[in-house]
Amino acid sequence: MSDLGQRKTDHIELALHADVGFRKTTLLEQVELVHAALPELSWDELDTSTTWFGKRVRSPLLIASMTGGNDRARELNLKLAEVAERGGYAIGLGSQRAMVKTGVIDAEVSESYELRSVAPTTPLFGNIGIVQAAEMPLALLQEMVGRVGADALCVHLNPAQEMIQPGGDRDFRRGEETLAHLVRELGVPVLVKETGCGISRDVARRLRGLGVEHVDVSGAGGTSWVAVEPHRATDEMQARDALFWNWGIPTAASLLEVAPFDFRTVVATGGIRHGLDVARAIALGATGVGIARLVLQKLEAGGVDGALGFLERIERDLKTAMLLTGSRSLADLRRARRFLGPELAPWQHAG
């Protein structure tokens, strides 16, 4: 197995079993939704449906980007794709960097990302790092997207993880130029996502100026990829890199940071634990909500049915929060009254 393939395997096992969570929260618990004692709603009329890049689905949930690039990843991806297709969820691929060998698509590796055989109608998002996107010709990126039948391409920003990762990227120039070019020329929507450290107000402003219309804040509070890498490092590196374990903007705070810029798509990924977290994120402006590690753990423990059952419980709790706030639709929930606790409130008007 290649070094990159081994890294992907290590990441899967660490995400499943290791202590790689943030030591701080998403701050979603600081969102108090106002109770509607007279909701004038029936459970059956609650509408959780949403549209991902032209595809209407019954749920705002996204099985967030996790893995790809080897046989273990292919097995997991096919099962996750089945969950998405059966449940009416969107799904994101892990980084497709492993698909490209010496400037061409590796057909064998590509198979671990090709999910349309089990998820023909599911909103599906490709994935590549901003540094790799800057180095790849447009035609190769388009082939990479087309090969998996992606409805959009996630371009992930992960400078914190790269700085901690042995042999990680160190040159993050040309990011803005690359994004502007892809937005104009790629041919499918570009969704810019962080990988656990959040998107700030300044970065959101710059992204909008480049023409970006879709973001995934992927904030702090869930899995810390900065914490994942020290598990693969030497004792000396572990001691050094643990300093940045909690680096990042909490998910709820990042939603407030991007709110002023009217993105068409705002995904809240990072530490989502249950349906009330989903409701709180949507009340802060999210149009979709991503969950990664918990879905993977439920899949490992209970198979496709176990993962489906977990996501269905989240949907039930989301609908309960909708009824209790008098929100018939997700749009209504985004307009619902909410109060912010003392740790989160300062983020609303900061900067």
Side-chain angles (χ1 to χ4, degrees), residues 309-326:
F310 167 68
L311 291 169
E312 287 166 357
R313 287 194 298 276
I314 286 181
E315 288 184 272
R316 287 196 297 271
D317 290 341
L318 167 61
K319 291 180 71 173
T320 298
M322 290 172 65
L323 188 139
L324 294 177
T325 56

Side-chain angles (χ1 to χ4, degrees), residues 74 78 99 107 110-117 147-148:
R74 175 172 170 74
L78 287 171
M99 280 177 61
S110 177
E111 288 184 1
S112 70
Y113 298 93
E114 295 173 18
L115 309 181
R116 283 300 184 200
S117 61
R147 190 69 171 255
V148 299

Side-chain angles (χ1 to χ4, degrees), residues 39-347:
E40 287 292 326
L41 285 172
S42 160
W43 178 268
D44 291 337
E45 67 181 311
L46 298 175
D47 181 10
T48 60
S49 66
T50 193
T51 300
W52 295 96
F53 306 110
K55 287 186 173 179
R56 192 76 178 172
V57 289
R58 68 175 190 81
S59 170
L61 299 182
L62 161 70
I63 300 174
S65 306
M66 279 185 270
T67 191
N70 57 39
D71 291 341
R72 170 75 162 134
R74 175 172 170 74
E75 175 190 355
L76 291 173
N77 277 340
L78 287 171
K79 290 179 180 178
L80 291 169
E82 182 181 349
V83 173
E85 185 74 13
R86 286 173 56 182
Y89 313 121
I91 187 170
L93 298 173
S95 173
Q96 293 174 261
R97 177 182 184 179
M99 280 177 61
V100 180
K101 301 282 183 67
T102 61
V104 297
I105 300 294
D106 184 308
E108 183 176 352
V109 175
S110 177
E111 288 184 1
S112 70
Y113 298 93
E114 295 173 18
L115 309 181
R116 283 300 184 200
S117 61
V118 295
T121 68
T122 295
L124 173 66
F125 311 146
N127 189 344
I128 193 69
I130 185 67
V131 173
Q132 287 70 50
E135 297 170 346
M136 293 170 66
L138 179 65
L140 184 57
L141 286 166
Q142 290 171 327
E143 182 183 359
M144 190 183 71
V145 168
R147 190 69 171 255
V148 299
D151 298 295
L153 177 65
C154 292
V155 179
H156 67 259
L157 317 176
N158 64 338
Q161 181 187 2
E162 294 292 343
M163 291 303 297
I164 299 304
Q165 182 174 285
D169 296 317
R170 295 295 184 268
D171 186 349
F172 303 98
R173 293 172 295 182
R174 295 182 55 213
E176 293 187 6
E177 171 192 338
T178 299
L179 289 173
H181 178 61
L182 290 179
V183 168
R184 290 194 310 268
E185 305 293 340
L186 184 63
V188 298
V190 173
L191 191 157
V192 178
K193 72 182 301 294
E194 237 288 341
T195 56
C197 293
I199 292 177
S200 69
R201 190 166 304 215
D202 174 64
V203 169
R205 182 182 295 109
R206 288 155 59 196
L207 291 174
R208 283 303 275 139
L210 298 170
V212 173
E213 297 184 317
H214 314 283
V215 294
D216 181 341
V217 301
S218 192
T223 300
S224 168
W225 286 101
V226 175
V228 167
E229 292 302 338
H231 281 276
R232 303 177 61 247
T234 63
D235 290 344
E236 180 181 350
M237 292 181 69
Q238 286 179 8
R240 185 202 72 185
D241 295 341
L243 181 66
F244 290 93
W245 187 299
N246 283 322
W247 184 267
I249 305 166
T251 300
S254 191
L255 287 170
L256 293 176
E257 291 279 281
V258 307
F261 302 102
D262 297 321
F263 289 98
R264 289 175 58 190
T265 302
V266 177
V267 185
T269 304
I272 304 297
R273 301 162 297 159
H274 44 61
L276 186 53
D277 275 347
V278 174
R280 289 161 169 163
I282 291 171
L284 291 179
T287 58
V289 178
I291 308 174
R293 188 186 190 201
L294 288 179
V295 178
L296 187 62
Q297 290 175 331
K298 297 299 182 182
L299 181 73
E300 184 79 353
V304 169
D305 288 340
L308 270 171
F310 167 68
L311 291 169
E312 287 166 357
R313 287 194 298 276
I314 286 181
E315 288 184 272
R316 287 196 297 271
D317 290 341
L318 167 61
K319 291 180 71 173
T320 298
M322 290 172 65
L323 188 139
L324 294 177
T325 56
S327 303
R328 182 184 180 278
S329 67
L330 299 180
D332 292 338
L333 183 55
R334 278 189 285 276
R335 294 188 291 266
R337 290 184 67 208
R338 78 284 197 284
F339 289 92
L340 306 183
E343 293 180 60
L344 181 59
W347 289 90

